[in-house]
Amino acid sequence: MNILPLIFARDNNESDADLSAYRRKLRKQLDPFMLSDKAFVRNFRVNKRLFKKILHLIAPELKPRHNRGLKAKQKLAATLKFLAQGSYQLGVGNDFTIPMAQSTFSEVLHETLRAMQTKLLKYITLQMSEVEKTEARNYFYQKSGIPGVVMCIDGSHIRILAPNGDRVPYYNRKGYYSLNALMICDNRKLIRFVDARFSGSNHDSCIFSMSPAFKFFERKWRDGDKMFKLLGDSAYPAKPWLIKPYRNAAPNSPEANFNQRHAQARAVIENAFGVLKGKFRCLLGERLLRYSPSKCVRIINVCCALHNLCIMNNMPENDR
């Protein structure tokens, strides 16, 4: 039976209570796992096996509320659909796979994001195994000729709605309101660190100098680990463990050649941004997150953790 017209067609005399009851009835009948494997990934950006893994982790944090009969599976599906498609609450609330009112979805999003951040942020870590370090050093040395590099650093502006109160700090040099999300990735495009707390007017160097990652790399170097270095652009501070390009290098000079190889190696973080925002389109530049800055930070953190889980579970980058 084709249920789409039944969901979206509403009689003028139909009350909100009638519509809510109808949605509850549909939720009992519909199951996201009824989708084909391809359609499931297209809707939720994770495959069914990974969905179940995430659900197992967060389900204890998700409690039934207001007798609406929403299961943890439905809450996770609704949240993933929102993160994936970049549409806002009204669109997700009308989706045939997870029908719920906009007000209900607002509560679901808040609760599920909190649970996902609590349980999934362990998949974002600067700690590396010996195998990971060796693979990263080999990758970056082949690209740049610089020994000891294991990660790259850069910032990415995430558009947000102008916040209430003091908006000025969030207005960036590109002419829109944003959070400047500092990220560090490795050779596999795994996001090893994210700090999205800072407003768009903050400079990359300032954000990094105040971040736990700065202290982490500084401590590594002081403790004698000279083969644990970062590649960064010229915006970052000069440190023995942070390799930057030369400024104003003359054409065809050794410095210019170094800069070219440096850029080739550091391109992996730009590629990581592209994969992250391609899968989770709520972060795309033409969109904007219509929430408070603190909630936007949570959304960014969760998207980064999901990005890593997709890589760790060998999901193709083009599963969009």
Side-chain angles (χ1 to χ4, degrees):
M1 179 179 67
N2 186 357
I3 64 172
L4 287 176
L6 298 177
I7 294 173
F8 289 100
R10 177 175 178 176
D11 187 274
N12 290 334
N13 296 321
E14 184 180 24
S15 70
D16 288 338
D18 291 337
L19 190 56
S20 295
Y22 188 54
R23 286 192 178 111
R24 285 195 294 271
K25 182 179 180 180
L26 285 173
R27 287 199 294 267
K28 292 179 181 179
Q29 296 174 349
L30 298 172
D31 185 342
F33 283 91
M34 294 168 61
L35 294 168
S36 68
D37 291 344
K38 185 175 181 180
F40 192 94
V41 173
R42 187 169 63 247
N43 276 270
F44 306 119
R45 300 300 191 257
V46 299
N47 58 31
K48 293 177 182 179
R49 182 174 60 84
L50 182 51
F51 184 101
K52 291 177 182 178
K53 177 179 180 179
I54 296 168
L55 182 61
H56 175 76
L57 290 171
I58 70 169
E61 306 290 323
L62 303 178
K63 306 300 181 184
R65 295 188 178 189
H66 307 302
N67 298 317
R68 288 171 176 159
L70 282 169
K71 298 178 181 178
K73 177 170 62 176
Q74 294 166 325
K75 294 178 180 182
L76 177 57
T79 300
L80 287 175
K81 185 67 178 287
F82 165 76
L83 298 176
Q85 70 181 15
S87 295
Y88 302 112
Q89 294 180 4
L90 186 59
V92 175
N94 280 336
D95 193 279
F96 77 95
T97 60
I98 37 177
M100 62 183 69
Q102 183 175 353
S103 59
T104 302
F105 177 71
S106 180
E107 295 178 14
V108 166
L109 181 65
H110 177 79
E111 179 189 17
T112 311
L113 282 173
R114 183 175 56 191
M116 293 174 78
Q117 179 168 264
T118 300
K119 296 298 184 179
L120 302 185
L121 282 193
K122 63 184 179 181
Y123 296 105
I124 303 175
T125 177
L126 288 167
Q127 299 290 348
M128 302 178 81
S129 69
E130 291 302 319
V131 171
E132 289 175 327
K133 285 187 279 190
T134 297
E135 290 178 353
R137 289 166 185 154
N138 289 340
Y139 172 89
F140 287 112
Y141 185 76
Q142 290 173 8
K143 293 285 186 179
S144 69
I146 305 169
V149 175
V150 292
M151 302 180 201
C152 295
I153 183 171
D154 204 356
S156 182
H157 285 273
I158 308 297
R159 293 178 69 106
I160 65 170
L161 188 69
N164 295 326
D166 189 5
R167 300 180 175 190
V168 174
Y170 293 91
Y171 197 74
N172 66 36
R173 59 184 174 81
K174 299 180 180 181
Y176 57 85
Y177 296 96
S178 71
L179 294 172
N180 190 358
L182 173 73
M183 298 189 201
I184 297 173
C185 83
D186 66 11
N187 56 300
R188 295 173 59 197
K189 305 188 187 78
L190 281 173
I191 296 171
R192 292 287 183 167
F193 179 83
V194 57
D195 191 342
R197 298 171 298 159
F198 292 88
S199 59
S201 65
N202 282 280
H203 193 271
D204 289 358
S205 178
C206 178
I207 295 172
F208 183 47
S209 66
M210 293 187 287
S211 76
F214 183 94
K215 296 177 182 177
F216 178 85
F217 280 91
E218 189 82 2
R219 190 184 316 114
K220 280 274 189 182
W221 186 266
R222 286 201 311 266
D223 290 345
D225 193 345
K226 310 303 183 184
M227 297 291 284
F228 203 90
K229 301 175 186 175
L230 269 175
L231 289 182
D233 65 23
S234 57
Y236 292 97
K239 290 288 179 179
W241 43 264
L242 202 164
I243 312 302
K244 302 167 44 174
Y246 290 99
R247 288 185 179 273
N248 305 316
N252 302 318
S253 65
E255 291 80 7
N257 181 60
F258 174 89
N259 287 355
Q260 182 178 7
R261 298 191 68 184
H262 183 285
Q264 289 173 350
R266 204 174 63 84
V268 68
I269 195 162
E270 296 297 335
N271 294 336
F273 290 155
V275 173
L276 171 69
K277 295 180 181 182
K279 278 188 178 290
F280 303 103
R281 296 178 184 177
C282 63
L283 305 180
L284 276 175
E286 60 263 27
R287 318 277 188 181
L288 76 161
L289 293 173
R290 300 174 179 270
Y291 302 100
S292 67
S294 60
K295 193 166 187 176
C296 293
V297 170
R298 185 170 291 168
I299 289 170
I300 295 166
N301 289 343
V302 168
C303 287
C304 289
L306 291 169
H307 164 90
N308 283 1
L309 280 167
C310 288
I311 294 174
M312 293 172 181
N313 286 270
N314 300 312
M315 289 193 59
E317 290 181 1
N318 60 353
D319 275 348
R320 301 179 182 176

Short mmCIF file of all heavy atoms in Angstrom, two decimals, residues 133-188:
data_model
loop_
_atom_site.label_atom_id
_atom_site.label_comp_id
_atom_site.label_asym_id
_atom_site.label_seq_id
_atom_site.Cartn_x
_atom_site.Cartn_y
_atom_site.Cartn_z
N LYS A 133 50.76 4.67 14.21
CA LYS A 133 51.83 5.68 14.08
C LYS A 133 52.76 5.34 12.92
O LYS A 133 53.14 6.23 12.15
CB LYS A 133 52.60 5.79 15.40
CG LYS A 133 51.84 6.52 16.49
CD LYS A 133 52.69 6.77 17.72
CE LYS A 133 52.77 5.58 18.61
NZ LYS A 133 53.40 5.88 19.93
N THR A 134 53.11 4.07 12.80
CA THR A 134 54.02 3.67 11.71
C THR A 134 53.37 3.92 10.35
O THR A 134 54.01 4.45 9.43
CB THR A 134 54.37 2.18 11.85
OG1 THR A 134 55.08 1.98 13.08
CG2 THR A 134 55.25 1.72 10.70
N GLU A 135 52.11 3.56 10.21
CA GLU A 135 51.40 3.77 8.93
C GLU A 135 51.29 5.26 8.62
O GLU A 135 51.47 5.67 7.46
CB GLU A 135 50.02 3.12 8.99
CG GLU A 135 50.05 1.61 9.00
CD GLU A 135 48.66 1.00 9.11
OE1 GLU A 135 47.69 1.76 9.31
OE2 GLU A 135 48.55 -0.23 8.97
N ALA A 136 51.00 6.06 9.62
CA ALA A 136 50.87 7.50 9.40
C ALA A 136 52.20 8.12 9.01
O ALA A 136 52.28 8.93 8.07
CB ALA A 136 50.32 8.17 10.66
N ARG A 137 53.27 7.75 9.70
CA ARG A 137 54.60 8.30 9.36
C ARG A 137 55.00 7.93 7.94
O ARG A 137 55.56 8.77 7.22
CB ARG A 137 55.63 7.79 10.37
CG ARG A 137 55.50 8.39 11.76
CD ARG A 137 56.30 7.62 12.79
NE ARG A 137 56.09 8.12 14.13
CZ ARG A 137 56.23 7.39 15.24
NH1 ARG A 137 56.57 6.10 15.13
NH2 ARG A 137 56.02 7.91 16.42
N ASN A 138 54.74 6.70 7.56
CA ASN A 138 55.09 6.27 6.20
C ASN A 138 54.29 7.06 5.17
O ASN A 138 54.84 7.51 4.15
CB ASN A 138 54.83 4.78 6.03
CG ASN A 138 55.82 3.92 6.80
OD1 ASN A 138 56.90 4.38 7.15
ND2 ASN A 138 55.46 2.68 7.04
N TYR A 139 53.00 7.25 5.42
CA TYR A 139 52.14 7.98 4.48
C TYR A 139 52.63 9.42 4.31
O TYR A 139 52.83 9.90 3.18
CB TYR A 139 50.71 7.96 4.99
CG TYR A 139 49.77 8.84 4.20
CD1 TYR A 139 49.09 8.34 3.09
CD2 TYR A 139 49.56 10.18 4.56
CE1 TYR A 139 48.24 9.15 2.36
CE2 TYR A 139 48.69 10.99 3.83
CZ TYR A 139 48.04 10.47 2.73
OH TYR A 139 47.20 11.28 2.00
N PHE A 140 52.82 10.11 5.42
CA PHE A 140 53.19 11.52 5.34
C PHE A 140 54.62 11.72 4.83
O PHE A 140 54.91 12.72 4.16
CB PHE A 140 52.98 12.21 6.69
CG PHE A 140 51.53 12.43 7.03
CD1 PHE A 140 50.93 11.74 8.06
CD2 PHE A 140 50.76 13.32 6.29
CE1 PHE A 140 49.59 11.93 8.37
CE2 PHE A 140 49.42 13.52 6.58
CZ PHE A 140 48.83 12.83 7.63
N TYR A 141 55.49 10.76 5.13
CA TYR A 141 56.86 10.88 4.59
C TYR A 141 56.87 10.71 3.07
O TYR A 141 57.57 11.44 2.36
CB TYR A 141 57.77 9.84 5.24
CG TYR A 141 59.21 10.01 4.82
CD1 TYR A 141 60.01 11.02 5.35
CD2 TYR A 141 59.78 9.15 3.86
CE1 TYR A 141 61.32 11.18 4.96
CE2 TYR A 141 61.09 9.32 3.46
CZ TYR A 141 61.86 10.33 4.01
OH TYR A 141 63.17 10.51 3.61
N GLN A 142 56.10 9.76 2.58
CA GLN A 142 56.01 9.57 1.12
C GLN A 142 55.45 10.80 0.43
O GLN A 142 55.86 11.15 -0.69
CB GLN A 142 55.15 8.35 0.81
CG GLN A 142 55.80 7.03 1.18
CD GLN A 142 54.85 5.85 1.00
OE1 GLN A 142 53.75 6.01 0.46
NE2 GLN A 142 55.26 4.68 1.46
N LYS A 143 54.50 11.48 1.07
CA LYS A 143 53.89 12.66 0.48
C LYS A 143 54.76 13.91 0.61
O LYS A 143 54.83 14.73 -0.32
CB LYS A 143 52.54 12.95 1.16
CG LYS A 143 51.47 11.91 0.91
CD LYS A 143 50.90 12.04 -0.50
CE LYS A 143 49.73 11.10 -0.71
NZ LYS A 143 49.15 11.22 -2.07
N SER A 144 55.42 14.07 1.76
CA SER A 144 56.10 15.34 2.06
C SER A 144 57.61 15.25 2.18
O SER A 144 58.30 16.27 2.06
CB SER A 144 55.54 15.90 3.37
OG SER A 144 55.95 15.10 4.48
N GLY A 145 58.12 14.06 2.47
CA GLY A 145 59.55 13.93 2.74
C GLY A 145 59.93 14.38 4.14
O GLY A 145 61.12 14.46 4.46
N ILE A 146 58.93 14.64 4.98
CA ILE A 146 59.19 15.10 6.35
C ILE A 146 59.04 13.91 7.30
O ILE A 146 57.98 13.29 7.34
CB ILE A 146 58.21 16.22 6.75
CG1 ILE A 146 58.27 17.37 5.76
CG2 ILE A 146 58.51 16.71 8.17
CD1 ILE A 146 57.15 18.38 5.94
N PRO A 147 60.07 13.59 8.06
CA PRO A 147 59.96 12.44 8.97
C PRO A 147 59.15 12.78 10.22
O PRO A 147 59.16 13.91 10.71
CB PRO A 147 61.42 12.15 9.33
CG PRO A 147 62.12 13.48 9.18
CD PRO A 147 61.42 14.18 8.06
N GLY A 148 58.45 11.77 10.73
CA GLY A 148 57.81 11.91 12.03
C GLY A 148 56.42 12.50 12.04
O GLY A 148 55.82 12.65 13.10
N VAL A 149 55.87 12.83 10.89
CA VAL A 149 54.53 13.43 10.86
C VAL A 149 53.48 12.34 10.99
O VAL A 149 53.53 11.31 10.30
CB VAL A 149 54.30 14.22 9.55
CG1 VAL A 149 52.86 14.74 9.48
CG2 VAL A 149 55.28 15.38 9.46
N VAL A 150 52.49 12.57 11.88
CA VAL A 150 51.43 11.58 12.08
C VAL A 150 50.03 12.15 11.83
O VAL A 150 49.07 11.40 11.67
CB VAL A 150 51.48 10.98 13.50
CG1 VAL A 150 52.73 10.12 13.69
CG2 VAL A 150 51.42 12.07 14.57
N MET A 151 49.89 13.49 11.81
CA MET A 151 48.57 14.10 11.67
C MET A 151 48.67 15.47 11.01
O MET A 151 49.75 16.04 10.89
CB MET A 151 47.89 14.26 13.04
CG MET A 151 47.70 12.99 13.84
SD MET A 151 46.88 13.31 15.43
CE MET A 151 47.36 11.85 16.35
N CYS A 152 47.50 15.99 10.61
CA CYS A 152 47.37 17.34 10.04
C CYS A 152 46.34 18.12 10.85
O CYS A 152 45.41 17.53 11.41
CB CYS A 152 46.90 17.29 8.60
SG CYS A 152 48.05 16.51 7.47
N ILE A 153 46.48 19.43 10.82
CA ILE A 153 45.56 20.29 11.57
C ILE A 153 45.01 21.38 10.67
O ILE A 153 45.71 21.90 9.79
CB ILE A 153 46.28 20.93 12.79
CG1 ILE A 153 45.30 21.78 13.61
CG2 ILE A 153 47.48 21.76 12.37
CD1 ILE A 153 45.87 22.25 14.93
N ASP A 154 43.74 21.73 10.88
CA ASP A 154 43.13 22.87 10.17
C ASP A 154 41.80 23.19 10.85
O ASP A 154 41.30 22.42 11.68
CB ASP A 154 42.89 22.54 8.70
CG ASP A 154 42.82 23.79 7.83
OD1 ASP A 154 42.89 24.91 8.38
OD2 ASP A 154 42.71 23.66 6.60
N GLY A 155 41.24 24.34 10.50
CA GLY A 155 39.95 24.75 11.02
C GLY A 155 38.92 24.77 9.90
O GLY A 155 39.26 24.95 8.73
N SER A 156 37.66 24.60 10.27
CA SER A 156 36.57 24.64 9.30
C SER A 156 35.41 25.42 9.91
O SER A 156 34.98 25.13 11.03
CB SER A 156 36.12 23.23 8.94
OG SER A 156 35.10 23.26 7.97
N HIS A 157 34.91 26.41 9.17
CA HIS A 157 33.79 27.20 9.67
C HIS A 157 32.47 26.47 9.40
O HIS A 157 32.21 26.04 8.28
CB HIS A 157 33.77 28.58 9.00
CG HIS A 157 34.82 29.50 9.51
ND1 HIS A 157 34.64 30.30 10.62
CD2 HIS A 157 36.09 29.74 9.09
CE1 HIS A 157 35.73 31.00 10.85
NE2 HIS A 157 36.63 30.67 9.94
N ILE A 158 31.67 26.35 10.43
CA ILE A 158 30.35 25.73 10.34
C ILE A 158 29.31 26.83 10.54
O ILE A 158 29.27 27.48 11.59
CB ILE A 158 30.15 24.64 11.42
CG1 ILE A 158 31.31 23.63 11.39
CG2 ILE A 158 28.81 23.96 11.24
CD1 ILE A 158 31.44 22.85 10.11
N ARG A 159 28.49 27.02 9.52
CA ARG A 159 27.50 28.10 9.57
C ARG A 159 26.44 27.84 10.63
O ARG A 159 25.93 26.72 10.76
CB ARG A 159 26.80 28.26 8.21
CG ARG A 159 27.69 28.74 7.10
CD ARG A 159 26.92 28.81 5.79
NE ARG A 159 25.92 29.88 5.84
CZ ARG A 159 26.05 31.04 5.18
NH1 ARG A 159 27.11 31.27 4.43
NH2 ARG A 159 25.10 31.95 5.26
N ILE A 160 26.11 28.90 11.39
CA ILE A 160 25.05 28.81 12.39
C ILE A 160 24.14 30.02 12.25
O ILE A 160 24.51 31.04 11.64
CB ILE A 160 25.61 28.73 13.82
CG1 ILE A 160 26.35 30.03 14.19
CG2 ILE A 160 26.51 27.52 14.00
CD1 ILE A 160 26.71 30.12 15.67
N LEU A 161 22.95 29.90 12.82
CA LEU A 161 22.05 31.04 12.89
C LEU A 161 22.62 32.05 13.88
O LEU A 161 23.20 31.67 14.90
CB LEU A 161 20.67 30.57 13.37
CG LEU A 161 19.53 31.57 13.33
CD1 LEU A 161 19.16 31.90 11.89
CD2 LEU A 161 18.32 31.01 14.07
N ALA A 162 22.48 33.34 13.57
CA ALA A 162 22.98 34.37 14.48
C ALA A 162 22.42 34.14 15.88
O ALA A 162 21.19 34.11 16.05
CB ALA A 162 22.58 35.75 13.96
N PRO A 163 23.26 33.93 16.87
CA PRO A 163 22.76 33.59 18.21
C PRO A 163 22.11 34.79 18.91
O PRO A 163 22.37 35.94 18.56
CB PRO A 163 24.02 33.14 18.95
CG PRO A 163 25.15 33.81 18.25
CD PRO A 163 24.73 33.95 16.80
N ASN A 164 21.28 34.48 19.88
CA ASN A 164 20.73 35.54 20.71
C ASN A 164 21.83 36.14 21.56
O ASN A 164 22.81 35.47 21.89
CB ASN A 164 19.62 34.99 21.61
CG ASN A 164 18.42 34.49 20.82
OD1 ASN A 164 18.09 35.04 19.78
ND2 ASN A 164 17.79 33.43 21.31
N GLY A 165 21.66 37.39 21.94
CA GLY A 165 22.67 38.03 22.76
C GLY A 165 23.79 38.61 21.93
O GLY A 165 23.56 39.26 20.91
N ASP A 166 25.01 38.37 22.33
CA ASP A 166 26.18 38.95 21.68
C ASP A 166 26.51 38.18 20.41
O ASP A 166 27.15 37.12 20.45
CB ASP A 166 27.36 38.94 22.65
CG ASP A 166 28.55 39.74 22.10
OD1 ASP A 166 28.40 40.37 21.03
OD2 ASP A 166 29.60 39.74 22.75
N ARG A 167 26.12 38.72 19.27
CA ARG A 167 26.33 38.04 18.00
C ARG A 167 27.71 38.32 17.40
O ARG A 167 28.21 37.54 16.59
CB ARG A 167 25.27 38.49 16.99
CG ARG A 167 23.85 38.21 17.40
CD ARG A 167 22.89 38.69 16.34
NE ARG A 167 21.50 38.34 16.65
CZ ARG A 167 20.50 38.48 15.82
NH1 ARG A 167 20.71 38.99 14.62
NH2 ARG A 167 19.28 38.14 16.17
N VAL A 168 28.30 39.44 17.76
CA VAL A 168 29.50 39.92 17.07
C VAL A 168 30.62 38.89 17.03
O VAL A 168 31.23 38.67 15.98
CB VAL A 168 29.99 41.24 17.70
CG1 VAL A 168 31.32 41.68 17.08
CG2 VAL A 168 28.94 42.33 17.51
N PRO A 169 30.93 38.19 18.13
CA PRO A 169 32.05 37.23 18.07
C PRO A 169 31.84 36.10 17.06
O PRO A 169 32.81 35.49 16.62
CB PRO A 169 32.12 36.68 19.50
CG PRO A 169 31.47 37.72 20.34
CD PRO A 169 30.39 38.30 19.49
N TYR A 170 30.59 35.83 16.71
CA TYR A 170 30.30 34.72 15.80
C TYR A 170 30.35 35.12 14.33
O TYR A 170 30.28 34.26 13.46
CB TYR A 170 28.93 34.12 16.14
CG TYR A 170 28.92 33.46 17.49
CD1 TYR A 170 28.57 34.19 18.63
CD2 TYR A 170 29.29 32.13 17.65
CE1 TYR A 170 28.59 33.60 19.89
CE2 TYR A 170 29.30 31.53 18.90
CZ TYR A 170 28.96 32.27 20.02
OH TYR A 170 28.99 31.68 21.25
N TYR A 171 30.48 36.41 14.07
CA TYR A 171 30.52 36.89 12.69
C TYR A 171 31.95 36.80 12.18
O TYR A 171 32.85 37.47 12.69
CB TYR A 171 30.02 38.33 12.61
CG TYR A 171 29.65 38.76 11.21
CD1 TYR A 171 28.48 38.30 10.61
CD2 TYR A 171 30.47 39.62 10.49
CE1 TYR A 171 28.14 38.68 9.32
CE2 TYR A 171 30.13 40.01 9.20
CZ TYR A 171 28.96 39.54 8.63
OH TYR A 171 28.62 39.92 7.35
N ASN A 172 32.19 35.94 11.19
CA ASN A 172 33.57 35.68 10.77
C ASN A 172 34.00 36.58 9.62
O ASN A 172 33.20 37.33 9.06
CB ASN A 172 33.76 34.19 10.43
CG ASN A 172 32.95 33.77 9.20
OD1 ASN A 172 32.78 34.51 8.25
ND2 ASN A 172 32.46 32.53 9.22
N ARG A 173 35.27 36.48 9.25
CA ARG A 173 35.84 37.34 8.21
C ARG A 173 35.26 37.03 6.83
O ARG A 173 35.42 37.82 5.90
CB ARG A 173 37.36 37.20 8.19
CG ARG A 173 37.84 35.79 7.94
CD ARG A 173 39.35 35.67 8.01
NE ARG A 173 39.79 34.30 7.90
CZ ARG A 173 39.92 33.64 6.76
NH1 ARG A 173 39.62 34.23 5.62
NH2 ARG A 173 40.35 32.39 6.75
N LYS A 174 34.58 35.90 6.69
CA LYS A 174 33.97 35.53 5.41
C LYS A 174 32.58 36.13 5.24
O LYS A 174 31.97 35.99 4.18
CB LYS A 174 33.91 34.01 5.27
CG LYS A 174 35.28 33.34 5.31
CD LYS A 174 35.17 31.83 5.18
CE LYS A 174 36.54 31.16 5.23
NZ LYS A 174 36.46 29.69 5.07
N GLY A 175 32.08 36.74 6.31
CA GLY A 175 30.82 37.45 6.20
C GLY A 175 29.58 36.69 6.64
O GLY A 175 28.47 37.00 6.19
N TYR A 176 29.72 35.70 7.51
CA TYR A 176 28.55 35.00 8.03
C TYR A 176 28.84 34.53 9.46
O TYR A 176 29.98 34.56 9.93
CB TYR A 176 28.14 33.83 7.14
CG TYR A 176 29.20 32.78 6.88
CD1 TYR A 176 29.41 31.73 7.78
CD2 TYR A 176 30.00 32.82 5.74
CE1 TYR A 176 30.36 30.76 7.55
CE2 TYR A 176 30.96 31.85 5.50
CZ TYR A 176 31.14 30.83 6.41
OH TYR A 176 32.09 29.87 6.18
N TYR A 177 27.79 34.10 10.15
CA TYR A 177 27.93 33.63 11.52
C TYR A 177 28.36 32.16 11.52
O TYR A 177 27.84 31.35 10.75
CB TYR A 177 26.60 33.78 12.27
CG TYR A 177 26.17 35.21 12.43
CD1 TYR A 177 25.27 35.79 11.53
CD2 TYR A 177 26.67 36.01 13.46
CE1 TYR A 177 24.88 37.12 11.66
CE2 TYR A 177 26.29 37.34 13.60
CZ TYR A 177 25.40 37.88 12.69
OH TYR A 177 25.02 39.19 12.82
N SER A 178 29.30 31.85 12.39
CA SER A 178 29.82 30.48 12.37
C SER A 178 30.49 30.11 13.68
O SER A 178 30.75 30.96 14.54
CB SER A 178 30.85 30.32 11.24
OG SER A 178 32.05 31.02 11.56
N LEU A 179 30.76 28.82 13.80
CA LEU A 179 31.70 28.29 14.78
C LEU A 179 32.95 27.89 14.00
O LEU A 179 32.86 27.33 12.91
CB LEU A 179 31.13 27.07 15.49
CG LEU A 179 29.92 27.30 16.39
CD1 LEU A 179 29.35 25.97 16.86
CD2 LEU A 179 30.28 28.16 17.59
N ASN A 180 34.12 28.20 14.55
CA ASN A 180 35.38 27.81 13.91
C ASN A 180 35.83 26.51 14.55
O ASN A 180 36.36 26.49 15.66
CB ASN A 180 36.43 28.90 14.09
CG ASN A 180 37.67 28.63 13.25
OD1 ASN A 180 37.78 27.62 12.57
ND2 ASN A 180 38.63 29.54 13.29
N ALA A 181 35.57 25.40 13.86
CA ALA A 181 35.83 24.07 14.41
C ALA A 181 37.25 23.63 14.08
O ALA A 181 37.58 23.37 12.92
CB ALA A 181 34.83 23.07 13.87
N LEU A 182 38.09 23.55 15.10
CA LEU A 182 39.44 23.04 14.94
C LEU A 182 39.41 21.53 14.86
O LEU A 182 38.78 20.87 15.69
CB LEU A 182 40.29 23.47 16.14
CG LEU A 182 41.70 22.88 16.23
CD1 LEU A 182 42.60 23.53 15.18
CD2 LEU A 182 42.28 23.07 17.62
N MET A 183 40.08 20.97 13.84
CA MET A 183 40.12 19.51 13.71
C MET A 183 41.54 19.05 13.38
O MET A 183 42.29 19.76 12.71
CB MET A 183 39.15 19.02 12.63
CG MET A 183 37.70 19.33 12.93
SD MET A 183 36.56 18.50 11.78
CE MET A 183 35.10 19.55 11.98
N ILE A 184 41.85 17.87 13.84
CA ILE A 184 43.12 17.21 13.53
C ILE A 184 42.78 15.82 13.00
O ILE A 184 41.96 15.10 13.59
CB ILE A 184 44.00 17.09 14.79
CG1 ILE A 184 44.38 18.49 15.31
CG2 ILE A 184 45.26 16.28 14.50
CD1 ILE A 184 45.12 18.47 16.64
N CYS A 185 43.38 15.45 11.86
CA CYS A 185 43.10 14.12 11.29
C CYS A 185 44.40 13.40 10.97
O CYS A 185 45.47 14.00 10.91
CB CYS A 185 42.23 14.24 10.05
SG CYS A 185 43.11 14.62 8.53
N ASP A 186 44.29 12.09 10.77
CA ASP A 186 45.45 11.29 10.42
C ASP A 186 45.41 10.92 8.94
O ASP A 186 44.62 11.45 8.16
CB ASP A 186 45.55 10.06 11.32
CG ASP A 186 44.41 9.05 11.11
OD1 ASP A 186 43.64 9.20 10.13
OD2 ASP A 186 44.29 8.12 11.93
N ASN A 187 46.25 10.00 8.53
CA ASN A 187 46.36 9.61 7.12
C ASN A 187 45.11 8.90 6.60
O ASN A 187 44.85 8.90 5.40
CB ASN A 187 47.56 8.68 6.93
CG ASN A 187 47.49 7.46 7.84
OD1 ASN A 187 47.46 7.58 9.08
ND2 ASN A 187 47.46 6.28 7.26
N ARG A 188 44.32 8.32 7.49
CA ARG A 188 43.09 7.61 7.08
C ARG A 188 41.87 8.53 7.03
O ARG A 188 40.78 8.09 6.77
CB ARG A 188 42.81 6.46 8.06
CG ARG A 188 43.85 5.36 8.07
CD ARG A 188 43.58 4.37 9.19
NE ARG A 188 42.27 3.75 9.07
CZ ARG A 188 41.66 3.10 10.06
NH1 ARG A 188 42.24 3.01 11.26
NH2 ARG A 188 40.47 2.54 9.88
#
